[in-house]
């Protein structure tokens, strides 16, 4: 054990030497910064001299499972080394990240100092530059410290792998000896069993030959035991004697089985059994001697060697781990000391510390120098008033900010605002219908899609001038265009026909002329052909006078609308919209009912009759206007 421990110390010294040579770069840096501080190797040597190695107080060769205890302890030591490897690796990563971040910050700050317009002559700029350069030096120190930690981690990791192989080899060696002993003991057990079986058979034949006398049986058993055992232990003889105590039944059975056997054959079989018993005895004693020799060699020679090797491995690993941790602590202390010396140089170095750098800033002198330098190139203050500059909005934004609304706006107001004679919505909608919808069945009677109608209404209400119905998607369903036109006419505040003219025109179609109990459609369909006599001329003359008395915008718009409706009814064989159907749709639209709900239904029917009359005699009426 002592020799093994001495060998482990020699290995540790060699490892310490290799580690020292592998980390000289950082040690040289921190040693220079420590200003005469003793190296870690010198400190470790002094500690080893002050703490002599104490011998182990436990004799593990006498403890069952002692090797397993040492192997488990060595595994724990190697696990501690692996944890140290992981710590050093992560610690190196932390230092590397910190060093790189600090270095990047310092470099970027130095670049900003070189930007055009910086005052490089100021004391603040000079002190600030020295401060940043000190940070760059500390970043370099931390990068070197990170490299040292990485080297220590890699070397310790390689060392652990090597020692794990040594531990595995020692464990395999012990297991190989144990398997050999177990196999030898198994063969020994088989030889002992065979020996006992042969002796038992010989004993049985002796008893059969000598008869069933008690004294003779015991004497034969004793003779068999003495001849077969020879130098065997007393326990074997006692076992043989005990087997004869219940031999009565067995003997009778034997004699029953070998009833015809002669005395000579029994003696011959007994002699053969005695020879076999002696051979088995010799084989048993030979294997017993070999097994005991193998056990003595293992427990007296090999096991102590293996224990000594494992003990040396544990001591070496623990010492190396202690050395590595101490090396880390010393290197870390040296790195911190290097940063401290960078921040505050030692007395006599002739270099200012950070506090002295900041103390050298003369803010008043820097301000005076700056003002003197910049005042030479400064211009005069412009005291003139700032002119107003209107913001130029986009066309779409201007439309949303100031929309040209037409729905719900008086007809005269919107035409005057837009400088138009006829509302653009009327011109564009009727133009689209005349181009794409004159043959559309139920035009003006069919309603469009509510969402599309509202969308088109919003476009017209934003600016009717920019709406293009000829090339838009609205013409895919011309009923949308017709619906928005009817909506526009319904929402005119005073209606297309003013109240005064509406009353004068409706007077020619009194309620008494309506058939009671008929619906609007039935009444329109049942309208008689107009009389060509004096009454008809009076109606036309009266309607012409009422239209002439309208304001010019209403008069022109009404004439334009009825000219369009006349074109629609010209295609009634396709669109099914004759003057009667059109009058039902446009009667309430351009001639809304009064405020009295009791007469609303009658007013709608009267307005339908008026619109039909205007359509039927459009040329005579509007040409005279």
């Amino acid at each position: 054990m002592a020799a093994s421990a001495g060998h482990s110390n020699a290995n540790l010294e060699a490892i310490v030497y290799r580690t020292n040579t592998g980390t000289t770069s950082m040690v040289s840096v921190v040693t220079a910064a420590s200003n005469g501080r003793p190296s870690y190797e010198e400190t470790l040597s002094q500690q080893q001299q002050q703490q002599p190695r104490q011998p182990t107080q436990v004799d593990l060769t006498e403890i069952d499972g002692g090797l397993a205890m040492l192997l488990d302890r060595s595994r724990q030591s190697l696990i501690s080394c692996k944890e140290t490897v992981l710590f050093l690796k992560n610690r190196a990563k932390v230092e590397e990240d910190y060093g790189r971040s600090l270095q990047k910050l310092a470099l970027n700050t130095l670049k900003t100092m070189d930007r055009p317009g910086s005052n490089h002559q100021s004391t603040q700029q000079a002190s600030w530059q020295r401060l940043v350069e000190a940070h760059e030096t500390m970043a370099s120190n931390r990068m070197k410290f990170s490299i040292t930690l990485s080297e220590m981690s890699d070397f310790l990791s390689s060392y652990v792998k090597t020692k794990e192989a040594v531990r595995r080899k020692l464990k395999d060696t012990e297991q190989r000896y144990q398997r050999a002993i177990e196999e030898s003991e198994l063969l020994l057990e088989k030889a002992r069993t065979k020996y006992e079986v042969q002796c038992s058979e010989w004993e049985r034949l002796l008893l059969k030959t000598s008869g069933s006398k008690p004294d003779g049986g015991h004497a034969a058993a004793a003779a068999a035991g003495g001849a077969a055992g020879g130098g065997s232990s007393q326990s074997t003889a006692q076992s043989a004697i005990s087997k004869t105590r219940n031999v009565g039944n067995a003997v009778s059975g034997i004699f029953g089985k070998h009833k015809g056997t002669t005395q000579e054959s029994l003696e011959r079989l007994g002699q053969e059994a005695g020879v076999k018993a002696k051979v088995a005895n010799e084989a048993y004693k030979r294997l017993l001697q070999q097994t005991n020799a193998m056990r003595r060699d293992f427990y007296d020679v090999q096991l102590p060697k293996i224990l000594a090797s494992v003990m040396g491995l544990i001591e070496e690993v623990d010492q190396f781990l202690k050395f590595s941790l101490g090396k880390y602590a010393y290197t870390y202390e040296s790195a911190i000391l290097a940063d401290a010396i960078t921040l505050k140089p030692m007395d006599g170095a002739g270099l200012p510390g950070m506090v002295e750098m900041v103390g050298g800033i003369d803010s008043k002198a820097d301000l005076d120098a700056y003002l003197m330098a910049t005042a030479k190139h400064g211009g005069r203050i412009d005291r003139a008033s700032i002119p107003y500059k209107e913001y130029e909005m986009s066309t779409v934004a201007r439309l949303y900010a100031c929309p040209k609304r037409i729905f719900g706006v008086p007809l005269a107001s919107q035409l005057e605002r837009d400088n138009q004679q006829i509302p653009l919505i009327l011109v564009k909608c009727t133009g689209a219908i005349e181009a794409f919808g004159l043959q559309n069945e139920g035009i003006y009677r069919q309603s469009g899609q509510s969402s599309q109608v509202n969308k088109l209404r919003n476009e017209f209400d934003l600016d009717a001038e920019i709406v293009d119905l000829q090339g838009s998607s609205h013409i895919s369903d011309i009923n949308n265009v017709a619906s928005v036109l009817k909506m526009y006419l319904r929402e005119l505040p005073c209606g297309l026909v003013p109240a005064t003219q509406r009353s004068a025109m409706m007077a020619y179609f009194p309620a008494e002329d309506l058939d009671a109990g008929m619906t609007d459609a039935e009444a329109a369909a049942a309208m008689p052909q107009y009389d060509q006599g004096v009454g008809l001329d009076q109606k036309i003359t009266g309607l012409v006078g009422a239209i002439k008395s309208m304001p010019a915008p209403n008069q022109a718009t009404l004439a334009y609308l009825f000219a369009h409706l006349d074109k629609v009814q010209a295609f009634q064989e396709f669109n099914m919209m004759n003057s009667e159907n059109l009058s039902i749709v446009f009667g309430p639209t351009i001639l809304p009912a009064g405020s009295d709900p009791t007469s609303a239904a009658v007013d709608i029917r009267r307005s339908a009759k008026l619109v039909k009359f205007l359509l039927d005699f459009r040329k005579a009426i509007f040409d005279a206007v």
Side-chain angles (χ1 to χ4, degrees):
M1 292 289 290
S4 176
H7 177 68
S8 300
N9 290 335
N11 291 340
L12 177 62
E13 292 173 0
I15 293 171
V16 169
Y17 175 76
R18 288 195 299 270
T19 307
N20 295 341
T21 57
T23 57
T24 54
S25 59
M26 186 60 195
V27 172
S28 61
V29 173
V30 299
T31 302
S34 62
N35 195 18
R37 183 186 182 194
S39 66
Y40 176 67
E41 289 76 9
E42 297 174 353
T43 305
L44 180 63
S45 177
Q46 294 175 1
Q47 291 177 354
Q48 289 178 347
Q49 292 175 3
Q50 295 173 1
Q51 298 176 357
R53 180 181 177 274
Q54 298 295 331
T56 305
Q57 300 297 324
V58 180
D59 186 5
L60 296 176
T61 58
E62 300 298 329
I63 298 178
D64 185 19
L67 180 60
M69 292 167 52
L70 285 183
L71 288 173
D72 185 66
R73 178 62 177 79
S74 63
R75 182 178 61 84
Q76 294 176 9
S77 297
L78 291 173
I79 289 175
S80 298
C81 289
K82 291 181 179 178
E83 293 174 350
T84 305
V85 169
L86 182 60
F87 170 79
L88 292 176
K89 184 178 296 184
N90 292 335
R91 188 72 172 85
K93 183 65 169 59
V94 170
E95 291 296 333
E96 181 182 6
D97 293 342
Y98 172 72
R100 290 187 183 278
S101 300
L102 187 59
Q103 187 179 50
K104 182 178 179 180
L105 175 63
L107 292 176
N108 290 338
T109 305
L110 290 174
K111 288 181 181 178
T112 57
M113 292 180 183
D114 294 334
R115 68 182 184 276
S118 299
N119 187 8
H120 299 283
Q121 304 299 324
S122 66
T123 58
Q124 180 181 5
Q125 186 78 357
S127 299
W128 178 229
Q129 183 172 357
R130 286 197 295 268
L131 284 172
V132 175
E133 289 173 351
H135 283 78
E136 188 176 13
T137 302
M138 290 190 295
S140 177
N141 292 340
R142 290 310 177 97
M143 294 292 290
K144 293 176 182 178
F145 179 49
S146 171
I147 294 173
T148 302
L149 293 180
S150 297
E151 292 175 353
M152 293 174 60
S153 173
D154 295 341
F155 185 80
L156 182 56
S157 176
S158 176
Y159 174 80
V160 169
K161 292 179 181 178
T162 302
K163 295 309 171 183
E164 282 182 335
V166 173
R167 177 184 177 277
R168 192 161 46 247
K169 184 177 180 181
L170 292 172
K171 184 178 180 180
D172 293 343
T173 301
E174 186 268 343
Q175 291 177 349
R176 186 169 64 253
Y177 277 107
Q178 288 285 3
R179 284 196 299 270
I181 292 174
E182 290 175 357
E183 292 173 358
S184 180
E185 290 178 349
L186 181 61
L187 293 176
L188 177 63
E189 180 64 21
K190 291 180 179 179
R192 187 186 64 80
T193 302
K194 183 177 180 181
Y195 159 69
E196 290 181 354
V197 170
Q198 294 296 336
C199 288
S200 177
E201 178 66 17
W202 186 24
E203 179 185 15
R204 182 184 64 78
L205 292 174
L206 288 175
L207 292 174
K208 186 175 181 180
T209 303
S210 62
S212 60
K213 298 179 181 181
D215 293 339
H218 287 291
S232 62
S233 64
Q234 184 67 24
S235 61
T236 305
Q238 292 296 329
S239 175
I241 293 172
S242 66
K243 292 179 182 178
T244 63
R245 293 178 180 177
N246 297 323
V247 79
N249 294 333
V251 171
S252 63
I254 293 172
F255 280 118
K257 184 176 180 182
H258 302 283
K259 194 172 183 180
T261 305
T262 61
Q263 186 68 23
E264 291 79 5
S265 63
L266 287 175
E267 292 177 356
R268 181 175 53 80
L269 291 174
Q271 292 174 359
E272 292 177 355
V275 173
K276 292 181 179 179
K278 291 179 181 180
V279 172
N281 181 40
E282 294 298 329
Y284 170 57
K285 289 192 292 183
R286 184 174 63 255
L287 285 175
L288 181 62
Q289 183 179 7
Q290 293 177 359
T291 301
N292 288 331
M294 187 179 297
R295 287 169 57 85
R296 284 192 300 272
D297 177 67
F298 174 69
Y299 289 110
D300 296 341
V301 180
Q302 303 301 332
L303 181 59
K305 289 182 180 180
I306 296 174
L307 288 171
S309 299
V310 177
M311 182 67 74
L313 174 65
I314 294 173
E315 292 177 352
E316 179 182 338
V317 171
D318 289 347
Q319 288 294 328
F320 185 72
L321 178 58
K322 177 181 178 182
F323 171 80
S324 299
L325 293 176
K327 192 73 173 179
Y328 162 73
Y330 179 84
T331 308
Y332 187 31
E333 290 176 358
S334 301
I336 297 298
L337 180 58
D339 286 347
I341 294 175
T342 301
L343 298 176
K344 175 64 176 177
M346 303 184 70
D347 296 338
L351 298 175
M354 277 197 170
V355 176
E356 289 79 8
M357 293 178 188
V358 176
I361 298 176
D362 189 348
S363 302
K364 182 64 171 59
D366 291 343
L367 178 60
D368 292 340
Y370 173 77
L371 294 177
M372 290 294 293
T374 55
K376 298 177 181 179
H377 307 286
R380 295 298 180 181
I381 298 176
D382 185 6
R383 299 181 180 275
S385 299
I386 301 175
Y388 170 75
K389 184 178 181 181
E390 184 180 2
Y391 177 74
E392 293 293 336
M393 299 179 66
S394 63
T395 304
V396 177
R398 285 199 302 271
L399 291 177
Y400 281 105
C402 302
K404 296 181 179 180
R405 302 193 182 279
I406 58 175
F407 283 84
V409 179
L411 181 61
S413 299
Q414 58 179 284
L415 292 179
E416 182 181 0
R417 179 197 65 197
D418 299 337
N419 194 22
Q420 301 288 339
Q421 299 295 325
I422 306 296
L424 285 176
I425 185 173
L426 177 61
V427 175
K428 292 191 176 186
C429 289
T430 56
I433 293 172
E434 291 173 5
F436 305 103
L438 288 179
Q439 297 185 17
N440 188 65
E441 183 176 351
I443 186 69
Y444 286 119
R445 188 178 70 245
Q446 299 286 346
S447 299
Q449 296 181 4
S450 177
S451 60
Q452 296 298 322
V453 171
N454 290 331
K455 180 181 178 182
L456 185 57
R457 172 203 169 115
N458 292 334
E459 292 181 11
F460 273 112
D461 220 14
L462 192 62
D463 189 354
E465 190 173 356
I466 65 173
V467 179
D468 182 14
L469 294 179
Q470 300 295 326
S472 67
S473 60
H474 299 294
I475 61 174
S476 59
D477 187 358
I478 200 66
N479 292 320
N480 295 332
V481 179
S483 295
V484 80
L485 177 59
K486 291 188 294 181
M487 185 183 297
Y488 166 75
L489 294 174
R490 280 196 304 269
E491 294 185 13
L492 286 174
C494 298
L496 182 57
V497 179
T500 302
Q501 287 77 12
R502 181 167 60 245
S503 299
M505 296 172 72
M506 293 287 283
Y508 293 100
F509 302 91
E512 293 78 8
D513 294 346
L514 301 176
D515 295 330
M518 297 179 65
T519 64
D520 295 344
E522 291 173 347
M527 288 179 182
Q529 294 297 325
Y530 298 107
D531 186 6
Q532 301 295 325
V534 178
L536 178 61
D537 293 337
Q538 289 178 350
K539 283 185 178 182
I540 293 174
T541 302
L543 293 176
V544 169
I547 294 173
K548 283 184 176 181
S549 65
M550 291 181 186
N554 299 69
Q555 184 182 139
T557 302
L558 185 67
Y560 194 93
L561 175 63
F562 273 87
H564 165 68
L565 295 179
D566 193 25
K567 294 179 182 178
V568 173
Q569 74 167 345
F571 286 83
Q572 58 182 288
E573 60 176 323
F574 300 102
N575 56 38
M576 305 302 174
M577 294 300 290
N578 54 18
S579 61
E580 297 169 358
N581 291 333
L582 290 173
S583 66
I584 294 173
V585 173
F586 280 92
T589 300
I590 62 177
L591 298 167
S595 59
D596 187 2
T598 59
S599 61
V602 176
D603 290 343
I604 291 174
R605 295 172 63 185
R606 292 173 65 194
S607 64
K609 290 184 66 175
L610 173 57
V611 171
K612 183 179 186 307
F613 188 87
L614 292 174
L615 278 173
D616 290 340
F617 299 97
R618 183 195 69 81
K619 190 171 181 60
I621 294 173
F622 287 96
D623 286 349
V625 174

